[in-house]
Amino acid sequence: MTRLIRFNKPYDVLPQFTDSGSQGSTRQTLSAFIDCPGVYAAGRLDRDSEGLMLLTDTGRLQAWISDPQHKMAKTYWVQVEGQMDTAAVSALEKGVELKDGLTRPAKAHLMAEPAQLWARTPPIRTRKSIPTSWVSLTLREGKNRQVRRMTAAVGFPTLRLIRYSIGAWTLDGLSQGAWADLEVPNIPGPAKPSQLPNRRAQKTRAKNTKAQKTDAQSRIQTKIPSKAEAKHKQDRKDPTPRSSRGNRPRKP
């Protein structure tokens, strides 16, 4: 039976079940919070980011959720350094030029600090002389560390990043470090037989096209000679000079 769960990932937790990159490492992984054999993440969330992750035990569902071709919207709550203004928000919506290209149009708006927000451990570093502000950013693409690079590009470095939603799934009612089962959605299946291409018709069209090309080539090879070509051919058959052809005696 297919299983789908949502998880509220804390800060400084690797988005995987094992830490194979460093022997003897004390870094936390998903295994410290989720005891569900056979499930794996449908998409990633950086170690220094928090919030919603989806996990499943079915490859087809995992691909449907994480495949960029489906353009599943993801909403992030972002705390930035400085008081973000409407000009910066507009720039985020239109697209920001990054080293790997222009970002796609997004949805962005300023927001108050979320009421249900949990305390982060460790807390962010703040400076008394510089305020912070919050912005909600919804994307339909997933460049590497995209949100952080986007806010930095418009002059407001990210201090805290929380993924609030993936498609229709959200963090609502889920405390930090907790997970819960979700109802498995109906995944669009392969095309129905009536929607599949007609292989026999395709073969027939290809055969007819090939026959037409062969016929055209045959006509080119056996084309009727032009008047000039015919006259040249006649001259080669009759070696008599043109000037003397008119003086030939007529046959009785």
Side-chain angles (χ1 to χ4, degrees):
M1 181 178 179
T2 300
R3 193 171 190 181
L4 176 65
I5 67 175
R6 60 173 180 155
F7 172 58
N8 188 347
K9 187 185 88 66
Y11 175 82
D12 202 29
V13 173
L14 293 173
Q16 57 202 41
F17 283 92
T18 58
D19 185 8
S20 58
S22 179
Q23 187 174 3
S25 172
T26 58
R27 297 184 299 181
Q28 284 189 311
T29 66
L30 299 180
S31 60
F33 302 90
I34 303 173
D35 184 17
C36 295
V39 300
Y40 46 93
R44 292 179 58 83
L45 187 63
D46 293 335
R47 177 187 174 189
D48 54 354
S49 299
E50 309 163 68
L52 184 63
M53 288 189 68
L54 298 177
L55 300 97
T56 182
D57 57 358
T58 304
R60 185 160 167 255
L61 179 57
Q62 187 270 347
W64 181 71
I65 293 172
S66 59
D67 192 341
Q69 292 184 352
H70 297 142
K71 300 179 181 179
M72 193 169 288
K74 298 178 178 64
T75 298
Y76 298 85
W77 293 337
V78 194
Q79 185 178 16
V80 299
E81 186 177 66
Q83 185 59 54
M84 185 175 286
D85 52 23
T86 55
V89 172
S90 179
L92 293 173
E93 290 185 318
K94 293 178 181 178
V96 178
E97 188 66 45
L98 303 177
K99 289 184 178 180
D100 51 353
L102 183 69
T103 62
R104 293 178 182 174
K107 292 182 180 180
H109 65 267
L110 296 173
M111 61 180 291
E113 180 178 311
Q116 68 270 43
L117 191 63
W118 54 90
R120 200 190 82 169
T121 304
I124 64 169
R125 294 180 179 180
T126 59
R127 292 185 283 181
K128 293 182 179 180
S129 59
I130 302 179
T132 67
S133 55
W134 286 86
V135 61
S136 173
L137 187 60
T138 301
L139 308 176
R140 290 184 178 273
E141 60 181 335
K143 297 179 183 291
N144 184 43
R145 297 181 72 81
Q146 181 174 343
V147 174
R148 297 178 187 276
R149 292 192 291 149
M150 287 178 69
T151 63
V154 297
F156 297 90
T158 292
L159 298 174
R160 189 176 182 184
L161 180 58
I162 301 168
R163 184 159 65 193
Y164 168 69
S165 68
I166 301 174
W169 299 290
T170 72
L171 284 176
D172 292 343
L174 192 65
S175 59
Q176 185 186 40
W179 62 271
D181 278 287
L182 293 168
E183 182 179 351
V184 179
N186 292 323
I187 308 172
K192 296 180 180 179
S194 60
Q195 297 173 327
L196 294 173
N198 189 323
R199 304 298 180 188
R200 181 176 297 179
Q202 287 182 341
K203 289 182 179 180
T204 301
R205 285 196 296 268
K207 186 177 180 180
N208 292 340
T209 301
K210 185 176 180 180
Q212 291 174 357
K213 289 182 178 179
T214 302
D215 184 55
Q217 291 176 351
S218 177
R219 290 181 180 180
I220 293 175
Q221 294 174 355
T222 59
K223 68 176 184 178
I224 300 174
S226 64
K227 292 183 178 180
E229 291 173 338
K231 188 174 183 181
H232 177 71
K233 187 175 182 180
Q234 181 63 33
D235 289 343
R236 290 182 62 185
K237 289 182 178 180
D238 188 355
T240 306
R242 294 182 181 180
S243 59
S244 59
R245 287 177 189 174
N247 298 327
R248 292 180 181 178
R250 296 181 179 179
K251 291 182 180 180

